[in-house]
Amino acid sequence: MLQQVNRRQRKLALFTLAPAMAVFGAFWLLPFTRLVAMGTELDRASGMSAYFAILTQRQYLVSLGTTLGISLAVSALAVLIAGVAGFFLARHSFPGKAVLVAILTFPLAFPGVVVGFLVIMLGGRQGALAQFSMWLLDERWMFAYSLSGLFVGYLYFSIPRVITTVMAACETLDRSLEEAARSLGAGSWRVTRDVIIPGIAPALLSTAAICFATSMGAFGTAFTLGTRMSIMPLTIYGEFTNYANFAMAAALSVVLGVITWLALSLARKLAGTSLGAPA
């Protein structure tokens, strides 16, 4: 009787998983397998394997390094700025708090193209900063069409992700641990360093990884600000559309996907370690 129940449960599990597995295989596994295989073909520009060309050709190394650098910087600064803001919002109540939280998280509703357009409105040729500098010094200050503008755009849509995650994590913190630390003579900085930060560390790690992965693959914002910047999404787009270099586009896509997957996996592992660490 027990064996029959177990068989039914296994059949039911297979039946319920079948649609998800079919979608996974059709829309991810098969295309990605084809992408990996295509990356082994010869690069049209160098005549060598596309994966090998990424490691030997300067333009691809620069693109990869720039993308890694800006993504790491955005993730670190977003966690620093929004982590403090999220903790403050989670611990304090004041008139208009709900409106402020809604405003701070509103960028989550914007696609990358809109974020890029907002950066142009701020730091473009006719943006607010250019208009102000023309009035003040009779010269235009611009940053929109550069890596600085891209950094601002990535930071803009990363901050709301951190704020919402940190606020949720702060709600689960055990305040008795903070009270115990203060009763033992710990100051505010000591409590923050030894109790609060370790308590929300898994949330900080996971949201930093999400910001990193999002920045690594963000295309709409970069494309809106200019297609001449040397970052991976634009490089993939250029190889695919401008040069029909499908092998290189595939290889770059695989490398980009592997890097973001490793970052997410490492963050998940570290977050799990933090959750299981002794107090």
Side-chain angles (χ1 to χ4, degrees):
M1 183 66 180
L2 182 60
Q3 292 180 348
Q4 291 179 349
V5 172
N6 290 334
R7 289 176 183 175
R8 290 177 182 176
Q9 290 179 345
R10 284 196 294 267
K11 290 180 180 179
L12 179 61
L14 291 174
F15 179 77
T16 54
L17 286 175
M21 295 303 297
V23 172
F24 174 79
F27 293 98
W28 189 89
L29 186 59
L30 292 178
F32 189 75
T33 302
R34 174 58 180 149
L35 208 62
V36 172
M38 189 181 296
T40 61
E41 298 174 4
L42 297 181
D43 171 38
R44 292 188 61 179
S46 62
M48 62 181 70
S49 171
Y51 292 117
F52 185 71
I54 294 175
L55 301 176
T56 57
Q57 300 298 308
R58 183 178 180 276
Q59 66 268 29
Y60 303 125
L61 290 175
V62 169
S63 178
L64 178 59
T66 302
T67 308
L68 284 171
I70 195 171
S71 300
L72 288 171
V74 166
S75 303
L77 189 58
V79 168
L80 178 62
I81 295 175
V84 175
F87 178 78
F88 176 84
L89 291 170
R91 288 299 179 87
H92 296 83
S93 297
F94 51 87
K97 174 183 173 180
V99 176
L100 179 59
V101 172
I103 293 173
L104 291 174
T105 57
F106 190 63
L108 290 173
F110 291 156
V113 174
V114 176
V115 173
F117 184 68
L118 292 175
V119 174
I120 292 174
M121 290 295 97
L122 175 64
R125 295 182 181 88
Q126 303 297 327
L129 182 61
Q131 297 294 331
F132 176 76
S133 62
M134 280 293 292
W135 172 78
L136 185 65
L137 300 172
D138 198 28
E139 63 179 63
R140 294 184 185 275
W141 292 349
M142 297 180 296
F143 64 85
Y145 311 105
S146 64
L147 290 177
S148 298
L150 190 63
F151 179 86
V152 171
Y154 285 178
L155 185 64
Y156 179 73
F157 64 65
S158 294
I159 284 178
R161 291 177 170 84
V162 182
I163 288 180
T164 53
T165 304
V166 170
M167 289 182 65
C170 289
E171 295 295 333
T172 64
L173 279 178
D174 187 357
R175 295 202 179 192
S176 64
L177 297 177
E178 300 175 42
E179 295 172 359
R182 290 191 175 93
S183 67
L184 293 174
S188 298
W189 168 245
R190 188 75 180 270
V191 172
T192 301
R193 186 190 67 183
D194 295 341
V195 179
I196 296 175
I197 292 180
I200 63 174
L204 295 177
L205 287 170
S206 61
T207 194
I210 292 173
C211 291
F212 174 81
T214 304
S215 299
M216 283 289 292
F219 175 76
T221 303
F223 187 78
T224 305
L225 297 178
T227 57
R228 295 185 178 181
M229 286 182 286
S230 182
I231 61 170
M232 287 285 279
L234 294 182
T235 301
I236 294 171
Y237 174 81
E239 294 292 332
F240 183 79
T241 60
N242 297 334
Y243 309 112
N245 194 357
F246 303 127
M248 179 53 66
L252 290 171
S253 300
V254 171
V255 170
L256 183 64
V258 169
I259 291 174
T260 53
W261 177 80
L262 289 174
L264 292 170
S265 299
L266 179 61
R268 187 162 50 249
K269 181 179 180 181
L270 293 175
T273 302
S274 299
L275 284 170

